[in-house]
Amino acid sequence: MSGRLARLATVARRTASSTPRRPFSTQLPAGGLLRSDAGLRLIKRRPWPFGSYALHNVPATRSISFARAIPRLVGKFATAGAAAGGAVVAGVSYIQYQAGQAGTFALDLFNRAKDGATGVASEAFGSAGGVFDRIGRGWEKQKEDLEKVEYPEWLQRLMAKDGSVGSEGGNGGGKGPEEPKKSGAGTAAGGATTAAAMAYTRDEDEDKTEGEQIARDEQMMMLTKKMIEIRGLLQTVGQSETLSLPSIVVIGSQSSGKSSVLEAIVGHEFLPKGSNMVTRRPIELTLVNTPDAHAEYGEFPALGLGKITDFGQIQRTLTDLNLAVPVQDCVSDDPIQLRIYSPNVPDLSLIDLPGYIQVTGRDQPIELKEKITELCEKYIRAPNVILAISAADVDLANSTALRASRKMDPRGERTIGVITKMDLVDAERGAALLSDKKYALRLGYVGVVCRAPTTSSPRLFNRGNGNITSAITKNENTYFSSHPEFGAESHLDVGTKNLKKKLMHVLEQTMAASLKTTSEAIQHELENATYEFKVQYNERPISAESYLAESLDAFKHSFRGFSEQFGRQQVRELLKHELDQQVLNLLAQRYWNRPFEDLSRPLPERDPLSGLMKADPEGEDEIWQIKLDSSSAALTKLGVGRLATSVVANALQTHIDRLISASRFSSHPFARQAITEASTSILKDLSYDISDELEICIKPYKYRIEVEDNEWAKGRQNVTNVLKDELKVCELAAKQLEEQMGGRKKVKDVSSFIDRVRSGQVVLEGDGVGGAGGFSSALLQKGREAVFLRDRVDVLKMRLLAVKSKQCASKKNKYHCPEVFLDAVADKLTTTADLFLDAELLSKFYYIFPRELDARLGRSLSQAEIDRFAREDPKIRRHLDVVRRKDLLEHVLREMDSLRQLEAREKRYGNKKEGQEKRKGGWSLF
């Protein structure tokens, strides 16, 4: 554009110089005749106001306006003083006139109207002459001040150059009078016409180009950010190689400056460092630009540590995760995912790999070098971009990174070379490395000096948690600007800033190139997931929340059914059975038992229990009265309150466990534990107070017990059943013991030997520890048990006959029938206990427990705990995976479609701009 205007201005000056000029009059009437070679034309005029705005009334139509250049130029020279300001205004006025002259001539040239163009030019020259005659008188007075004004060097050169051209144009033809000396300022201003027009046009084009570049960069950043987000979603879908977008894989030998490059890009020291090999796992580093945020922080998605603003803590976490790899494993291909959010980082997806080594240390496994090579080759396959790090002080022929990249990328089409430590070699060698053709890469080389100086100002650089970007940029600018080998004319890429731009551009192009294949792979995976969802699960949607809610509702429903079936009657049965066992224990201890443990102790000649029915308790056989009273007191003072409460609480807990086993929660350890803890804590809290209160309720029975006739009859019937049950148990145990001893004959022989010992017929030494009578000590022990069961069966049969006798039909004979009386007392205690426990324990537990379930398995659970609960069941985990995979694939596919549309718009915009540039090239021919 600037070249075209210069040519138009030159043609205009030559045409104007070939036309005879007439002296300009300083006083033009409001209306009058203006003579020209084209003839007489009547022009209606108004008095022109003084100043540059008067030129806007020139009747010629200009195709290019420079009115916006006036404020810009005036603003640049405003500090020169009032005198310089006036000169600038005059010069700018003449600049606008010359631009109008050139534009008018160009239009007339296209219209092939030579006569009209000559008239307009003459009119414009006459009009401008009147203006400069007015301002010329003030010029002489300000001449001395203007000479003191220092113009910029570029303006002085252009004014001198155009001034000479203007002189030639004005007098070269030898026709027409000379210009007055006082209009010499117009010559200088006229010389600046082309310069100002070119400068303004160039500024305008540069501003437009800069704005387009900014828009392009923003568009590219948005595309890259979107692609990185999609890549993160694909990582959650699965680890399939087809379901992935490219990343930039950073490789290099140890001490090549690989970590320094990554830290320079991020602006923080965060990578693990150490004397031994510290990086043992790939680090998938995702940089997310947050322009509206001020804080910088990192996240480990797999660890759930939240936002970490301390980059020292990030460094320590990375070190711990890497050192967790066992020494015998050397390296691991299990990646560490790290995301860094900052307004100072570009949107990039990087993978940092362990550095290559040349020699294995004594404390390192022999296969370490091969394992590192295999791990790196796994990641630098296509379509990933390779960022090969090489130090400047190492010849490229010996670069391990370039050798590895050449193996996987022979043509160097997706490899970016980074030369670090550029300040350690001379500038000529550094420039030669960056322009190397022997090891040429299509994406080229970038030279960096990523080491921040230790003497940097604390305001710019803080090695603690501060950002080091400013210090590194300042250090790089100082070094590269001081060596002309890296100047703009060299076309070499240097500096971390240029490296970031290249990485963003290359990553965006690489990701965009793989969008089609990735979209096809996603479509294929989506079809498979949809088919599985339809066939196996009948398109039944499910989520962790809905599964937990359904499971909890089903369990609460089953608990409600249990609460309706387990009431006072069931509590009474439990308590009566427990107290019946306590009654049997008291009867056995005080009435039925015979000594059998000590074989050396002879049996009494007569069994006292056999004479109980004929005894006189109120007379000489008062012992039976004492036994019954002590047995009754022992039963009432047994601690029935605590016993009954614990029995019912244990029964409730047992039923809860059964409900859990029969519900969905049976395959969920987390939920099973939560429900068990809920019921246990509730029962424990209730039992502590209820047991004491129940003990107070039964306290009167500890001192006096009155049994009614109906209670006695009921007790007689119940104890008969209890004795029958006990008799069956003893007979069953005796039969099992008989099988264990080797048959009935063996039992009879051993029992006979024990009877002889107990009757004194045989003397047993040492209690038969070493065996006796030809029987082993173990067999003798079994024999004792057999004798005990035989005697217990005999006692039970005898007492059953006694209870069924007429003597036990009346409560007056309670001392002759202790079984009936103790059973009646147990029944009284049971009635009191079941009534109290039903009102206090059961009702409260049935009310509190469901609400505690809602609190523990509903409102208080986090999303992570809900997901963990649902995934404990293998079937539900598979169902959730299918639904989640299907939803994610659909979401990713939508994002991919929108991204492809965005890319298509970008291409259309680029094609449109290319067409505009071509059309501009065609106009420049004029």
Side-chain angles (χ1 to χ4, degrees):
M1 178 66 76
S2 60
R4 184 166 66 252
L5 288 176
R7 289 194 294 273
L8 290 174
T10 304
V11 174
R13 286 197 297 273
R14 291 176 180 174
T15 305
S17 64
S18 63
T19 303
R21 294 189 179 181
R22 300 182 183 277
F24 293 150
S25 175
T26 58
Q27 299 293 331
L28 292 178
L33 293 175
L34 177 64
R35 183 177 297 275
S36 67
D37 293 340
L40 295 177
R41 296 172 62 188
L42 181 62
I43 298 177
K44 186 176 290 185
R45 297 187 178 278
R46 294 186 300 272
W48 287 7
F50 180 80
S52 61
Y53 291 99
L55 299 180
H56 288 224
N57 292 322
V58 177
T61 303
R62 297 181 287 110
S63 60
I64 302 175
S65 175
F66 294 89
R68 289 183 296 173
I70 295 175
R72 185 180 297 181
L73 293 176
V74 171
K76 290 182 178 180
F77 298 109
T79 59
V88 172
V89 171
V92 171
S93 300
Y94 193 73
I95 289 171
Q96 188 166 1
Y97 153 70
Q98 289 284 7
Q101 183 77 354
T104 303
F105 180 79
L107 291 176
D108 291 342
L109 183 61
F110 292 140
N111 295 327
R112 307 292 184 180
K114 178 179 181 181
D115 294 340
T118 305
V120 172
S122 301
E123 178 185 350
F125 275 106
S127 301
V131 174
F132 283 100
D133 282 342
R134 294 183 183 181
I135 66 176
R137 289 190 294 269
W139 176 263
E140 295 294 340
K141 297 180 181 180
Q142 300 174 357
K143 186 174 182 180
E144 296 179 358
D145 294 335
L146 289 174
E147 292 176 353
K148 300 178 180 180
V149 177
E150 295 182 1
Y151 296 96
E153 184 178 353
W154 63 270
L155 185 57
Q156 292 177 10
R157 291 198 302 267
L158 292 175
M159 288 173 64
K161 182 178 179 181
D162 257 5
S164 60
V165 175
S167 300
E168 294 175 2
N171 300 323
K175 300 177 183 179
E178 290 184 13
E179 290 292 326
K181 291 182 179 180
K182 62 183 179 180
S183 62
T187 303
T193 302
T194 305
M198 293 173 61
Y200 178 76
T201 305
R202 184 163 54 248
D203 290 344
E204 190 176 42
D205 290 342
E206 290 177 355
D207 292 343
K208 190 173 183 180
T209 304
E210 183 179 357
E212 292 175 354
Q213 183 63 32
I214 293 175
R216 166 65 182 163
D217 291 343
E218 292 178 352
Q219 186 83 344
M220 185 178 69
M221 290 177 63
M222 183 170 63
L223 285 172
T224 307
K225 183 185 290 290
K226 201 75 174 176
M227 290 177 183
I228 291 177
E229 291 177 359
I230 292 176
R231 184 181 183 276
L233 291 174
L234 291 177
Q235 286 179 339
T236 61
V237 171
Q239 296 298 327
S240 175
E241 294 183 358
T242 58
L243 293 181
S244 62
L245 285 174
S247 296
I248 299 175
V249 182
V250 186
I251 61 173
S253 60
Q254 290 187 9
S255 303
S256 63
K258 183 165 57 73
S259 299
S260 299
V261 171
L262 290 176
E263 290 177 345
I265 294 174
V266 174
H268 287 275
E269 293 185 351
F270 69 98
L271 291 174
K273 295 180 178 62
S275 57
N276 199 354
M277 195 184 94
V278 182
T279 304
R280 303 179 183 178
R281 297 171 59 183
I283 300 176
E284 294 184 353
L285 178 61
T286 303
L287 304 182
V288 182
N289 180 265
T290 54
D292 299 330
H294 300 287
E296 299 175 292
Y297 61 91
E299 288 182 348
F300 292 91
L303 302 181
L305 299 178
K307 298 179 181 180
I308 305 176
T309 57
D310 183 7
F311 282 82
Q313 179 63 35
I314 295 177
Q315 187 179 49
R316 291 189 291 271
T317 303
L318 287 174
T319 302
D320 294 339
L321 292 174
N322 278 280
L323 294 180
V325 178
V327 178
Q328 61 271 16
D329 294 341
C330 309
V331 292
S332 171
D333 60 353
D334 183 21
I336 302 172
Q337 295 181 357
L338 172 61
R339 297 175 185 172
I340 293 180
Y341 300 81
S342 170
N344 304 316
V345 300
D347 291 296
L348 289 176
S349 177
L350 303 164
I351 300 177
D352 182 29
L353 296 177
Y356 291 103
I357 61 173
Q358 302 300 326
V359 180
T360 304
R362 291 184 178 179
D363 57 343
Q364 295 174 336
I366 301 176
E367 64 275 11
L368 177 59
K369 181 178 178 180
E370 289 73 15
K371 286 194 173 184
I372 293 177
T373 303
E374 293 175 359
L375 178 63
C376 292
E377 289 181 356
K378 175 183 176 181
Y379 276 90
I380 62 178
R381 295 192 180 101
N384 285 340
V385 179
I386 304 173
L387 191 66
I389 309 296
S390 303
D393 55 352
V394 177
D395 191 21
L396 292 182
N398 298 324
S399 173
T400 310
L402 288 179
R403 183 166 61 250
S405 65
R406 182 67 60 89
K407 181 179 180 181
M408 306 303 295
D409 182 25
R411 301 175 60 181
E413 294 183 346
R414 53 185 182 88
T415 303
I416 302 175
V418 178
I419 308 299
T420 61
K421 307 177 183 180
M422 292 288 292
D423 55 339
L424 298 184
V425 297
D426 54 21
E428 293 181 358
R429 172 170 171 75
L433 289 173
L434 297 180
S435 58
D436 187 86
K437 301 301 182 184
K438 188 175 181 180
Y439 306 97
L441 301 175
R442 188 178 68 85
L443 300 177
Y445 290 87
V446 182
V448 295
V449 183
C450 296
R451 184 179 67 253
T454 57
T455 58
S456 298
S457 172
R459 181 177 59 86
L460 298 176
F461 174 66
N462 179 11
R463 286 193 176 272
N465 200 38
N467 196 292
I468 62 177
T469 303
S470 300
I472 292 177
T473 302
K474 182 179 179 181
N475 189 37
E476 286 184 329
N477 292 339
T478 302
Y479 174 76
F480 290 120
S481 61
S482 61
H483 296 86
E485 290 84 357
F486 306 109
E489 297 79 5
S490 64
H491 302 289
L492 298 177
D493 289 335
V494 293
T496 306
K497 183 177 181 181
N498 289 330
L499 176 61
K500 291 180 182 179
K501 292 181 179 179
K502 181 182 285 288
L503 292 179
M504 291 179 61
H505 178 74
V506 171
L507 182 61
E508 185 233 356
Q509 295 296 328
T510 308
M511 284 185 169
S514 62
L515 282 180
K516 183 178 179 180
T517 56
T518 306
S519 298
E520 294 174 353
I522 293 174
Q523 184 66 39
H524 179 70
E525 291 288 337
L526 179 59
E527 292 175 357
N528 293 338
T530 303
Y531 178 79
E532 183 179 2
F533 181 62
K534 181 178 181 179
V535 173
Q536 293 191 8
Y537 304 104
N538 198 23
E539 296 184 344
R540 182 174 65 89
I542 191 174
S543 64
E545 294 82 356
S546 63
Y547 175 70
L548 174 61
E550 292 175 2
S551 302
L552 188 58
D553 289 342
F555 183 81
K556 288 163 65 176
H557 180 73
S558 61
F559 176 75
R560 182 178 180 181
F562 161 71
S563 64
E564 293 174 353
Q565 297 176 359
F566 190 84
R568 181 183 177 186
Q569 181 62 33
Q570 287 71 31
V571 171
R572 177 178 178 80
E573 291 176 359
L574 285 174
L575 296 180
K576 188 62 173 64
H577 179 268
E578 184 64 27
L579 290 179
D580 285 343
Q581 298 302 315
Q582 297 296 329
V583 169
L584 290 176
N585 291 337
L586 289 174
L587 290 173
Q589 293 173 5
R590 300 177 185 272
Y591 291 91
W592 300 343
N593 284 349
R594 293 180 180 179
F596 68 95
E597 292 83 359
D598 188 3
L599 296 179
S600 61
R601 181 179 179 183
L603 289 174
E605 296 180 358
R606 178 174 176 271
D607 184 10
L609 189 60
S610 60
L612 176 60
M613 302 302 294
K614 298 179 181 180
D616 182 14
E618 296 179 356
E620 60 182 7
D621 298 324
E622 188 179 3
I623 185 63
W624 300 112
Q625 182 178 356
I626 297 174
K627 282 187 175 183
L628 182 60
D629 293 340
S630 61
S631 300
S632 175
L635 182 61
T636 56
K637 297 178 181 180
L638 186 64
V640 177
R642 290 185 295 274
L643 176 64
T645 304
S646 62
V647 167
V648 176
N650 291 335
L652 289 174
Q653 187 62 54
T654 302
H655 282 289
I656 294 297
D657 293 339
R658 292 175 182 173
L659 292 178
I660 295 174
S661 301
S663 67
R664 294 180 179 178
F665 294 128
S666 59
S667 58
H668 298 280
F670 169 74
R672 189 180 191 121
Q673 181 181 0
I675 296 174
T676 303
E677 290 178 353
S679 60
T680 302
S681 62
I682 295 173
L683 292 174
K684 183 178 180 180
D685 294 340
L686 293 176
S687 299
Y688 183 78
D689 295 331
I690 291 176
S691 61
D692 292 341
E693 295 172 0
L694 179 57
E695 198 68 33
I696 295 174
C697 291
I698 65 173
K699 190 175 183 178
Y701 295 117
K702 297 179 180 180
Y703 304 101
R704 185 184 180 111
I705 298 178
E706 295 292 339
V707 178
E708 302 295 333
D709 292 336
N710 60 339
E711 295 175 345
W712 180 269
K714 184 179 179 182
R716 182 185 179 193
Q717 181 64 36
N718 182 71
V719 78
T720 301
N721 297 329
V722 170
L723 292 176
K724 288 181 179 180
D725 293 340
E726 184 70 11
L727 178 61
K728 292 179 180 179
V729 171
C730 291
E731 290 176 344
L732 181 61
K735 187 175 181 180
Q736 293 176 351
L737 187 60
E738 181 179 311
E739 295 176 356
Q740 294 176 5
M741 294 179 64
R744 181 177 299 179
K745 185 176 183 304
K746 178 69 68 175
V747 173
K748 184 177 181 182
D749 293 341
V750 176
S751 300
S752 299
F753 177 76
I754 294 176
D755 289 339
R756 290 196 302 271
V757 172
R758 296 174 65 182
S759 63
Q761 298 177 9
V762 177
V763 178
L764 186 64
E765 298 180 358
D767 198 21
V769 176
F775 303 105
S776 64
S777 60
L779 193 59
L780 290 176
Q781 182 64 29
K782 295 289 185 180
R784 293 191 189 96
E785 295 179 11
V787 171
F788 170 79
L789 291 174
R790 184 196 62 188
D791 294 344
R792 177 58 58 88
V793 168
D794 294 342
V795 171
L796 289 174
K797 289 179 178 180
M798 180 182 62
R799 296 310 303 166
L800 272 174
L801 293 176
V803 169
K804 291 179 180 180
S805 65
K806 294 182 179 179
Q807 191 176 10
C808 290
S810 174
K811 63 179 182 181
K812 296 180 180 179
N813 299 321
K814 64 178 183 178
Y815 295 113
H816 298 91
C817 305
E819 296 89 353
V820 178
F821 180 77
L822 291 177
D823 188 271
V825 173
D827 188 72
K828 280 181 171 290
L829 296 175
T830 302
T831 302
T832 304
D834 67 48
L835 181 63
F836 187 83
L837 291 176
D838 178 64
E840 293 296 324
L841 183 60
L842 293 186
S843 60
K844 290 183 179 180
F845 179 75
Y846 292 158
Y847 177 81
I848 299 174
F849 183 64
R851 289 158 179 78
E852 186 67 17
L853 289 181
D854 291 335
R856 289 177 180 260
L857 295 177
R859 297 184 298 271
S860 63
L861 290 184
S862 63
Q863 185 62 43
E865 291 174 331
I866 294 175
D867 293 339
R868 184 182 67 179
F869 160 78
R871 300 183 70 82
E872 287 176 345
D873 189 338
K875 295 181 180 179
I876 299 301
R877 180 172 63 249
R878 179 59 185 166
H879 193 172
L880 288 174
D881 288 342
V882 172
V883 174
R884 180 172 176 268
R885 185 179 181 84
K886 175 178 172 294
D887 294 341
L888 278 175
L889 287 172
E890 291 175 348
H891 175 66
V892 171
L893 195 60
R894 289 193 298 268
E895 294 292 333
M896 294 285 282
D897 291 340
S898 64
L899 190 60
R900 296 181 69 178
Q901 294 174 5
L902 190 63
E903 185 189 16
R905 288 197 298 268
E906 176 67 13
K907 288 183 178 179
R908 289 196 298 269
Y909 177 77
N911 295 335
K912 181 179 178 182
K913 294 301 296 180
E914 184 178 354
Q916 291 177 354
E917 292 296 332
K918 289 182 179 179
R919 288 193 292 274
K920 286 183 180 180
W923 278 102
S924 63
L925 295 176
F926 294 97

